[in-house]
């Protein structure tokens, strides 16, 4: 019978080779300051919207601000390179903040760290709107990222608290309806805000969205981690829990596979504006259309994953297929951009990018589900490691797409293919799906 691992007890250690301790499923019910677990599960659409909104806040914070970069450069009298540090600071804050908030949520429950993080996010965002200097803005973009990380990591942990097995995989796919649309609509919203106000107005809008989510979560989002499942240790136990998680070979395999797949996505986001517009001569409108079409593909395939495949096909098989498609699409893009097929136009390259992005809908939700299935008693710490790995690997991969300048798309395709192959290797070598370590 296939077995499932569990990591995260106070005295947890590395699981024996090829297996982990047998997991206990999450309790059917629990109580907390915000209500009961069954009540939270019944929230349905509201739960999807709130948790989806929490996971969407980071891409909104990053991408909604992009159209305003030239205006910030002029208003604060600085260079474009310095203004780029405001993006780096926010991204670094999101990555590091998850490592702090995740263990906190395992100790004190989900609601308190979530609401505290959202309050700090709103305040930091308002301070960004009032920033008098670029140094001030960079500092509080870092604080904004650190606080905003609470929404990402705790949303994933709450899904793990509420759902198990195929239900969890389905819910992660459903979340993509909300969180997957955020990177697409964020620049459009930012552009419209700039039509009626200046760049500071974008931060005011972000603070308003954050405040609305905070109020809704405070009123309707139930506590999902009952007291008997919380950890009572301090920093030392949090570090031991994370070490035990990383020592679990299968969990580490899913974490790395998901992080490297996310790096493929980051490489696309970083390079596609230059590839589509500068190299292939498309207009900004055409680029926006293609960008939106790729996002629709990702979301649609994610829904097929959750509504059709989950429960009928083993998740490890779906994940293997998704990773294979991503690698093949990246290989095709490399051959096209390197001129192996002669001079190709935008249409074949756009088709390759569409296939690659759509396959993400089979990879991103399933790596999260398979990894968190092994960690019912350390969902916060596990979610923190999953998120941090994705952001850090993505942040390293993104600058590499421009190493050869803006006149070639080959670096983008090389980074994408390298990360896709590395993701497949981690999945095969560490997760060893043929051994049946997962029952999903």
């Amino acid at each position: 019978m296939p077995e499932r691992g569990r990591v995260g007890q106070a005295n947890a250690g590395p699981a024996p080779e090829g297996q982990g301790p047998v997991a206990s499923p999450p309790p059917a019910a629990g109580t907390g300051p915000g209500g009961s677990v069954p009540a939270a599960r019944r929230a349905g659409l509201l739960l999807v919207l709130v948790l989806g909104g929490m996971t969407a806040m980071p891409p909104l914070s990053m991408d909604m601000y992009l159209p305003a970069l030239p205006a910030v450069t002029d208003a604060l009298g600085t260079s474009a390179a310095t203004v780029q540090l405001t993006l780096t600071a926010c991204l670094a804050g999101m990555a590091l903040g998850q490592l702090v908030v995740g263990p906190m949520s395992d100790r004190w429950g989900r609601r308190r760290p979530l609401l505290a993080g959202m309050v700090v996010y709103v305040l930091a965002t308002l301070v960004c709107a009032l920033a008098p200097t670029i140094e001030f803005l960079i500092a509080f973009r870092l604080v904004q990222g650190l606080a905003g990380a609470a929404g990402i990591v705790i949303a994933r942990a709450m899904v793990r608290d509420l759902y198990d097995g195929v239900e969890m995989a389905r819910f992660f796919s459903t979340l993509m309806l909300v969180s997957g649309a955020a990177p697409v609509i964020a620049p459009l919203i930012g552009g419209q805000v700039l039509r009626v106000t200046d760049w500071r107005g974008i931060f005011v809008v972000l603070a308003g969205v954050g405040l609305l989510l905070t109020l809704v979560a405070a009123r309707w989002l139930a506590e999902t981690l009952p007291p008997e499942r919380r950890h009572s240790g301090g920093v030392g136990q949090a570090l031991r829990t994370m070490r035990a998680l990383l020592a679990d070979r299968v969990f580490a395999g899913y974490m790395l596979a998901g992080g490297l797949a996310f790096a493929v996505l980051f490489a696309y986001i970083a390079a596609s504006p230059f590839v589509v517009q500068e190299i292939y001569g498309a207009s900004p409108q055409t680029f926006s259309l293609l960008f939106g079409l790729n996002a629709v593909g990702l979301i649609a395939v994610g829904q097929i994953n959750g509504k059709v495949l989950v429960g009928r096909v083993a998740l490890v098989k779906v994940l293997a297929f998704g990773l294979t498609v991503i690698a093949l699409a990246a290989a095709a893009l490399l051959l096209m951009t390197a001129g192996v097929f002669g001079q190709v136009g935008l249409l074949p390259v756009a088709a390759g990018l569409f296939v690659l992005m759509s396959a993400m809908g089979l990879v991103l939700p399933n790596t999260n589900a398979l990894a968190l299935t092994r960690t019912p008693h350390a969902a916060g710490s596990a979610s923190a490691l999953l998120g941090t790995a994705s952001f850090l690997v993505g942040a390293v991969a993104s600058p590499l797409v421009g190493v050869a300048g803006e006149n070639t798309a080959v670096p983008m395709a090389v980074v994408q293919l390298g990360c896709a192959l590395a993701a497949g290797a981690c999945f095969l070598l560490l997760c060893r799906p043929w051994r049946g370590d997962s029952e999903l």
Side-chain angles (χ1 to χ4, degrees):
M1 180 177 184
E3 63 184 358
R4 198 166 25 131
R6 181 191 56 159
V7 182
Q9 302 285 9
N11 59 353
E17 182 68 16
Q19 61 182 352
V22 177
S24 334
T31 58
S36 66
V37 169
R41 295 183 65 164
R42 286 194 300 268
L45 179 60
L46 179 63
L47 183 65
V48 172
L49 292 176
V50 174
L51 296 186
M54 296 294 181
T55 58
M57 285 308 297
L60 282 175
S61 301
M62 295 288 293
D63 298 344
M64 193 171 159
Y65 174 67
L66 294 179
L69 291 181
V72 176
T73 303
D74 295 338
L76 298 182
T78 187
S79 65
T82 304
V83 171
Q84 288 286 344
L85 291 177
T86 63
L87 298 176
T88 304
C90 189
L91 183 62
M94 291 175 190
L96 298 176
Q98 294 184 65
L99 292 177
V100 177
V101 177
M104 286 174 59
S105 73
D106 282 337
R107 181 178 183 183
W108 290 306
R110 312 302 185 202
R111 275 176 56 88
R112 282 191 289 173
L114 174 63
L115 295 177
M118 291 304 297
V119 168
V120 174
Y121 172 89
V122 171
L123 295 176
T125 304
L126 288 174
V127 173
C128 287
L130 302 173
T133 65
I134 188 62
E135 293 80 12
F136 206 83
L137 182 59
I138 292 171
F140 276 90
R141 284 284 277 174
L142 176 64
V143 177
Q144 184 191 42
L146 288 167
I152 317 173
V153 66
I154 293 179
R156 270 196 305 261
M158 294 182 85
V159 173
R160 181 61 189 95
D161 294 338
L162 296 170
Y163 299 98
D164 197 15
V166 296
E167 287 186 341
M168 178 170 54
R170 288 194 179 106
F171 196 92
F172 275 125
S173 294
T174 303
L175 277 184
M176 295 186 69
L177 282 171
V178 180
S179 59
V184 182
I185 65 173
L188 301 177
I189 296 174
Q192 294 305 309
V193 171
L194 289 176
R195 292 171 65 92
V196 297
T197 183
D198 61 7
W199 63 271
R200 299 180 188 274
I202 291 178
F203 288 110
V204 174
V205 172
L206 284 171
V209 174
L211 178 61
L212 177 62
L213 280 173
T214 304
L215 294 175
V216 172
R219 175 64 180 84
W220 284 292
L221 196 61
E223 175 61 67
T224 61
L225 188 68
E228 63 270 18
R229 292 178 56 208
R230 299 176 190 176
H231 296 175
S232 57
V235 175
Q237 180 176 319
L239 294 176
R240 287 192 296 272
T241 298
M242 287 191 174
R243 185 171 65 242
L245 286 165
L246 294 173
D248 178 15
R249 170 178 52 75
V250 180
F251 173 84
Y254 290 130
M255 179 189 73
L256 291 173
L260 288 162
F262 205 68
V264 177
L265 176 64
F266 265 64
Y268 160 76
I269 292 174
S272 59
F274 301 102
V275 171
V276 174
Q277 296 179 87
E278 301 296 329
I279 298 176
Y280 291 97
S283 66
Q285 292 74 24
T286 300
F287 166 70
S288 298
L289 178 63
L290 293 177
F291 196 88
L293 185 63
N294 289 338
V296 170
L298 186 155
I299 294 170
V301 172
Q303 298 316 296
I304 293 173
N305 175 73
K307 307 297 185 184
V308 178
L309 299 178
V310 171
R312 294 180 176 87
V313 183
L315 284 196
V316 289
K317 294 181 180 179
V318 178
L319 177 57
F321 179 75
L323 289 171
T324 301
V325 172
I326 290 174
L328 291 175
L333 285 168
L334 178 58
L335 294 175
M336 286 189 286
T337 56
V340 174
F341 302 127
Q343 193 71 26
V344 299
L346 175 60
L347 186 59
V349 173
L353 289 172
F354 177 78
V355 172
L356 182 147
M357 288 297 297
S358 297
M360 291 289 175
L362 301 177
V363 174
L364 299 181
N366 291 336
T367 50
N368 281 334
L370 287 164
L372 290 173
T373 294
R374 299 182 64 84
T375 61
H377 295 286
S381 297
S383 177
L385 289 173
L386 291 172
T388 301
S390 295
F391 275 92
L392 290 181
V393 176
V396 170
S398 295
L400 298 179
V401 300
V403 294
E406 300 175 3
N407 297 319
T408 174
V410 170
M412 177 194 74
V414 169
V415 170
Q416 289 177 328
L417 180 58
C419 290
L421 292 176
C426 290
F427 174 60
L428 292 175
L429 297 178
L430 297 177
C431 302
R432 301 178 188 177
W434 60 86
R435 298 187 59 164
D437 283 345
S438 173
E439 62 188 29
L440 297 181

